[in-house]
Amino acid sequence: MTRIHNYYAGPAALPVEALEAANKELIEWAGTGMSVMETSHRSKEYDEVHNTTISLFKELIGLNDDWTVLLLQGGASTQFAMIPMNLLCDGRSADYILTGAWSQKALKEAKIAGTTRVAGTSEKDGVFLRIPKQDELDLDPNATYCHVTSNNTIFGTQWHVFPDTGNVPIVCDMSSDILSRKIDVSKFGLIYAGAQKNLGPSGVTLVAIRKDLLEKCNSGLYTMLSYKTHADKNSLYNTPPTFSIYMVGQVLKWLKGKGGVEAIEKENTEKAQMIYGTIKDNPSFFSTPIDPESGSHMNYVFRLPSEDLEKQFVAEGKDAGFVGLKGHRSVGGIRISAYNANGIDSVRDFVSFMKNFAQKNG
Ligand SMILES: *Cc1c(COP(=O)(O)O)cnc(C)c1O
């Protein structure tokens, strides 16, 4: 078996253990004589998958019963609209902190639904290379919520300390770093993530919402766009993406087996030290435009001395078994995405590829 070193940003690498578990059960699962994809979402066998996935997620991220977890469709991008539609209904406004393309998209939708304010931005000349400092923020103490993107997948920055928003709950897009590190959930009112970066395959979006906020949600919405609909039916109002949910369950079992969020955070920190360390140790060859305090521990953006060398790096990387090295089209350069499933051994191989390449071409 030859598994490639997969550094794509999303959909992204899955733990091989989760794929193997699914492979074993693909034709015949849970004594049903069929796969999970082929059975009713009302069956007791599927119900077990559904509820285990929800409870494992709550356990791993550290949510108690003050929270409801929803398994929805439409990606994080649909949440950009559902969040303000559901929450921004009491005449107050919502704060948005802009740290990249995804937060800009979230704000665009919120503006359609209600009143918003930009409470901070790190945009400069069209790019976002850092996370704003607390004293740069202009927070509204009466805001319904404050929206934050915890990890900026495209620019490669991450909030290492979430902003202090006082009593205003943080609504957080954690699509690209959910369950990669410990978080203090008491700061948050809603956490959401498309699964395809750090949780599983595409097709399902996790939304965790505090029950007190759920109760205040707009009740005049289209059925499928209302959080209350999905909460009342345990995300089984209509057919959920059963196979995606099953796969998220396999990934969560793998993560729990590894020692949970605490263990994976250690690995992610070590991976970050290796990659940023290699960039720092070769300053005449590698550089990163990212503010050192804001560097993501999931997505790594860096440059080589010329665009030609970057092209060569991507091509030789592919020959050496590393894919997904090309930077996002809006940023250029190199970006690699090393999520939970990208093991430390793979990253060790990658940094030695980096060093060899620099030596040969520097
Ligand atoms: C990928 C990504 C999204 C978009 O997710 P979809 O599920 O494709 O809608 C939103 N926010 C962040 C931070 C992302 O990385």
Side-chain angles (χ1 to χ4, degrees):
M1 184 178 68
T2 27
R3 292 273 296 167
I4 208 155
H5 296 280
N6 175 355
Y7 289 110
Y8 281 116
L14 291 166
V16 70
E17 291 85 344
L19 293 169
E20 276 167 350
N23 188 30
K24 265 194 201 141
E25 298 185 324
L26 194 64
I27 308 292
E28 201 280 321
W29 151 81
T32 60
M34 57 191 151
S35 84
V36 65
M37 280 182 276
E38 301 167 285
T39 196
S40 168
H41 57 294
R42 312 278 175 210
S43 69
K44 76 173 191 321
E45 290 85 3
Y46 175 71
D47 214 46
E48 163 80 20
V49 166
H50 193 87
N51 291 326
T52 304
T53 303
I54 292 172
S55 61
L56 261 178
F57 175 73
K58 284 177 82 173
E59 179 189 330
L60 287 164
I61 198 168
L63 297 175
N64 62 19
D65 287 334
D66 295 340
W67 289 76
T68 297
V69 172
L70 309 174
L71 304 172
L72 306 180
Q73 298 188 65
S77 300
T78 298
Q79 294 312 306
F80 295 164
M82 273 178 83
I83 287 161
M85 286 170 80
N86 279 271
L87 294 178
L88 212 43
C89 58
D90 59 1
R92 291 186 293 159
S93 99
D95 276 355
Y96 277 72
I97 304 179
L98 303 182
T99 52
W102 295 117
S103 28
Q104 286 179 307
K105 286 187 174 171
L107 174 63
K108 177 173 178 254
E109 300 303 298
K111 278 182 176 169
I112 300 170
T115 315
T116 58
R117 282 172 75 252
V118 174
T121 177
S122 56
E123 192 264 342
K124 197 173 168 240
D125 306 326
V127 291
F128 296 81
L129 303 176
R130 62 187 189 87
I131 295 296
K133 296 250 183 302
Q134 180 77 32
D135 62 14
E136 294 172 60
L137 302 177
D138 170 27
L139 296 161
D140 171 7
N142 293 313
T144 304
Y145 62 84
C146 177
H147 184 279
V148 173
T149 310
S150 67
N151 182 72
N152 300 283
T153 325
I154 294 171
F155 290 101
T157 64
Q158 187 175 28
W159 289 85
H160 292 294
V161 179
F162 284 100
D164 181 359
T165 56
N167 291 325
V168 175
I170 297 177
V171 164
C172 195
D173 179 357
M174 290 195 193
S175 292
S176 53
D177 69 350
I178 194 154
L179 294 180
S180 70
R181 54 172 170 167
K182 272 194 291 187
I183 55 161
D184 172 8
V185 292
S186 70
K187 288 176 165 235
F188 300 92
L190 187 151
I191 292 167
Y192 66 105
Q196 68 273 22
K197 281 141 189 162
N198 221 10
L199 288 175
S202 61
V204 61
T205 306
L206 277 78
V207 176
I209 181 169
R210 237 171 49 201
K211 284 178 181 162
D212 61 306
L213 292 182
L214 184 62
E215 274 158 30
K216 289 184 216 148
C217 278
N218 191 345
S219 48
L221 295 173
Y222 290 104
T223 309
M224 279 297 288
L225 298 177
S226 163
Y227 286 139
K228 283 183 173 160
T229 302
H230 301 288
D232 287 348
K233 300 286 187 211
N234 188 27
S235 304
L236 287 159
Y237 170 78
N238 73 323
T239 318
T242 52
F243 189 69
S244 297
I245 292 168
Y246 163 86
M247 280 308 304
V248 170
Q250 297 296 353
V251 172
L252 296 179
K253 279 180 201 163
W254 164 81
L255 181 56
K256 187 175 171 175
K258 270 187 87 75
V261 166
E262 205 166 318
I264 209 77
E265 178 171 18
K266 253 196 195 159
E267 271 197 21
N268 288 327
T269 307
E270 213 176 304
K271 281 147 62 182
Q273 282 164 351
M274 282 198 263
I275 297 165
Y276 289 124
T278 304
I279 295 169
K280 223 171 136 195
D281 292 345
N282 298 274
S284 60
F285 199 79
F286 296 116
S287 62
T288 174
I290 303 302
D291 161 47
E293 283 173 36
S294 307
S296 168
H297 290 189
M298 296 271 104
N299 312 96
Y300 300 88
V301 170
F302 56 92
R303 305 295 313 228
L304 272 60
S306 70
E307 283 189 20
D308 282 345
L309 277 169
E310 287 168 351
K311 275 193 196 132
Q312 193 185 329
F313 184 82
V314 172
E316 286 185 25
K318 194 170 179 201
D319 291 339
F322 302 98
V323 294
L325 310 185
K326 199 165 175 264
H328 190 273
R329 58 193 178 279
S330 65
V331 180
I334 305 295
R335 172 187 57 178
I336 72 153
S337 301
Y339 299 115
N340 287 356
N342 298 90
I344 210 149
D345 291 341
S346 168
V347 171
R348 202 169 282 123
D349 289 351
F350 181 71
V351 296
S352 57
F353 168 73
M354 284 175 76
K355 285 176 198 162
N356 287 339
F357 190 90
Q359 233 160 35
K360 266 194 301 176
N361 299 286

